Amino acid sequence: MYFFNKLIRIVILLAVFVIVFSCSKDIPKKSSLVIYSPSSRDFIDPLIEDFKSKNPNIDVEIIIAGTGELIKRIETEQNDPLCDVLMAANINLVKNNQNLFENYTTTNENEIMDSYKNIEGSMTRFMISPSVLIVNTNIIGDIKIEGYSDLTNEKLKGKIAFNDPSSSSSSFKHLVTILYTMGKDDINNAWDYIEKLCANLDGKLLTGSSAVYKGVADSEYAVGLTFENAAANYAAAGSPIKLVYMKEGVIMEPAGIYIIKNAKNLENAKKFVDYMTSFDTQKKMNDELNARAIRKDLGSSPILVNINDINAITDNAELEKIDNFVKENQENWLERFKTIIENL
């Protein structure tokens, strides 16, 4: 009887083990995704929460910092990547570092506007992110702000928010826009302007893109050089700010999303790139997050100024010309800007 009872217990335990093992095979394992981004939290957090709701078995970690700092991190970590995706970094700052990223073409590539295709293999565009000036309407007074040329007004000395373009993609993009739009006939004219602008900064260079738009929204500065989405979020939330699209010209350069070379969570990274370029996500960006979608099958944002009402640079040939312009001169420009600041 003893042996019979023992045998029964063993059979029961084996049955329980089989049931538990069978059930455990049906429970999806948790996996990870690590994202580096210079984005504002107002923009990125709703998207990440939506992605997680659609992919509950992926744990997502976000690290926010300036584009320059993040690229340096990725370069340092390339033998043992700690990140899977770089999101929302300016195309021009990434182009000189394409060796750090995997080739991947999103499943939504056919729906992306022709001007913004991933022709490089590793650079998926997911939104158009033009540079703008953000103006605090409470403290700007009667000072006219229509473009770059107005920022040399002596009344604005010490009241302009700007970052170091070597560490901030939004500031570097402004540097490119200034050099291109104000130096078309003679780039020295643009550098003359930059010297005057830097003098009007009164020796102040902020750290991080968020310091610019937050500083203006919080009335620490009268005007700042930033990017459209961040400024539009503050305007939509009722902050005392307005967006100014520079009369000299606005380069409609896209922001990209890039998979890190040898990413440890490669399949999750691909899934995230596909998510960011999907119709539903692009519509959410367009309708709720004040970001310009990049798909052909979506209309313009209900909040943002129509592109036809901006002195916008959108021509493919011209955008390519600007890209080459940047690629050939980026290091020299940053060094020259640094020298101007140091000599003030």
Side-chain angles (χ1 to χ4, degrees):
M1 190 67 177
Y2 169 78
F3 291 107
F4 178 76
N5 290 338
K6 189 173 183 180
L7 179 62
I8 291 295
R9 283 197 292 270
I10 291 171
V11 169
I12 292 172
L13 286 172
L14 285 172
V16 170
F17 176 78
V18 169
I19 291 169
V20 170
F21 179 74
S22 299
C23 290
S24 67
K25 289 196 298 182
D26 295 331
I27 300 173
K29 294 181 179 179
K30 280 279 188 180
S31 58
S32 301
L33 179 67
V34 181
I35 298 170
Y36 287 174
S37 180
S39 288
S40 65
R41 282 287 182 181
D42 289 342
F43 174 69
I44 198 170
D45 285 352
L47 295 172
I48 297 303
E49 289 306 312
D50 185 53
F51 176 76
K52 286 163 64 175
S53 72
K54 292 178 169 62
N55 300 276
N57 297 302
I58 300 178
D59 287 326
V60 182
E61 180 183 358
I62 308 291
I63 295 172
I64 304 289
T67 300
E69 178 185 338
L70 293 174
I71 289 176
K72 286 178 183 176
R73 280 199 200 187
I74 293 166
E75 189 172 17
T76 300
E77 298 163 358
Q78 60 185 308
N79 293 326
D80 183 24
L82 302 180
C83 164
D84 303 300
V85 170
L86 174 63
M87 174 187 173
N90 179 265
I91 289 286
N92 282 326
L93 278 182
V94 174
K95 272 194 173 178
N96 290 342
N97 298 277
Q98 288 186 61
N99 61 303
L100 300 176
F101 304 98
E102 293 278 357
N103 281 347
Y104 178 66
T105 301
T106 174
T107 55
N108 300 301
E109 186 71 12
N110 287 340
E111 301 303 325
I112 291 175
M113 296 177 193
D114 293 341
S115 302
Y116 303 111
K117 295 291 189 185
N118 177 13
I119 58 175
E120 302 84 1
S122 61
M123 306 179 75
T124 300
R125 284 78 167 163
F126 77 97
M127 65 182 284
I128 304 168
S129 183
S131 299
V132 300
L133 304 179
I134 179 173
V135 178
N136 187 300
T137 55
N138 282 349
I139 62 176
I140 196 62
D142 59 358
I143 301 174
K144 180 182 68 174
I145 304 291
E146 295 180 346
Y148 290 127
S149 58
D150 298 315
L151 301 184
T152 57
N153 187 326
E154 291 184 358
K155 294 179 180 178
L156 291 173
K157 189 164 186 175
K159 299 178 180 179
I160 302 171
F162 191 49
N163 290 327
D164 182 351
S166 67
S167 61
S168 164
S169 61
S170 59
S171 292
F172 179 72
K173 194 169 177 181
H174 270 289
L175 178 62
V176 171
T177 306
I178 290 168
L179 290 171
Y180 185 75
T181 61
M182 303 190 76
K184 276 187 175 180
D185 298 324
D186 182 356
I187 197 169
N188 288 320
N189 294 333
W191 282 111
D192 289 344
Y193 165 79
I194 288 171
E195 288 183 3
K196 294 174 184 175
L197 173 64
C198 288
N200 230 24
L201 295 177
D202 201 22
K204 297 177 184 176
L205 273 184
L206 305 185
T207 56
S209 300
S210 62
V212 172
Y213 51 79
K214 286 181 179 177
V216 176
D218 293 343
S219 299
E220 294 177 41
Y221 299 92
V223 59
L225 292 84
T226 187
F227 57 100
E228 181 183 54
N229 171 248
N233 282 339
Y234 275 91
S239 293
I241 66 101
K242 69 175 180 178
L243 281 67
V244 173
Y245 297 85
M246 295 78 66
K247 62 184 179 183
E248 294 87 355
V250 180
I251 301 171
M252 302 305 284
E253 187 77 15
I257 182 167
Y258 322 89
I259 297 177
I260 309 304
K261 180 79 77 175
N262 300 319
K264 293 174 181 174
N265 301 291
L266 182 59
E267 293 308 311
N268 288 346
K270 291 177 179 179
K271 189 174 291 188
F272 186 71
V273 172
D274 291 342
Y275 163 80
M276 288 301 302
T277 52
S278 68
F279 178 86
D280 287 348
T281 303
Q282 291 273 301
K283 183 170 175 56
K284 182 179 182 68
M285 288 166 48
N286 196 61
D287 296 353
E288 301 173 27
L289 299 177
N290 308 312
R292 292 182 190 269
I294 207 156
R295 288 179 63 109
K296 300 174 184 176
D297 50 2
L298 280 170
S300 59
S301 164
I303 295 293
L304 304 177
V305 173
N306 190 291
I307 197 169
N308 295 321
D309 297 326
I310 301 170
N311 183 16
I313 299 170
T314 60
D315 179 73
N316 281 348
E318 193 166 9
L319 289 173
E320 186 174 351
K321 178 182 176 182
I322 294 168
D323 284 347
N324 292 331
F325 186 47
V326 173
K327 190 173 183 180
E328 293 168 4
N329 297 284
Q330 179 175 338
E331 290 184 11
N332 291 335
W333 290 345
L334 291 174
E335 189 61 35
R336 186 165 179 178
F337 183 89
K338 179 182 177 182
T339 300
I340 291 170
I341 288 293
E342 289 177 344
N343 290 337
L344 285 177

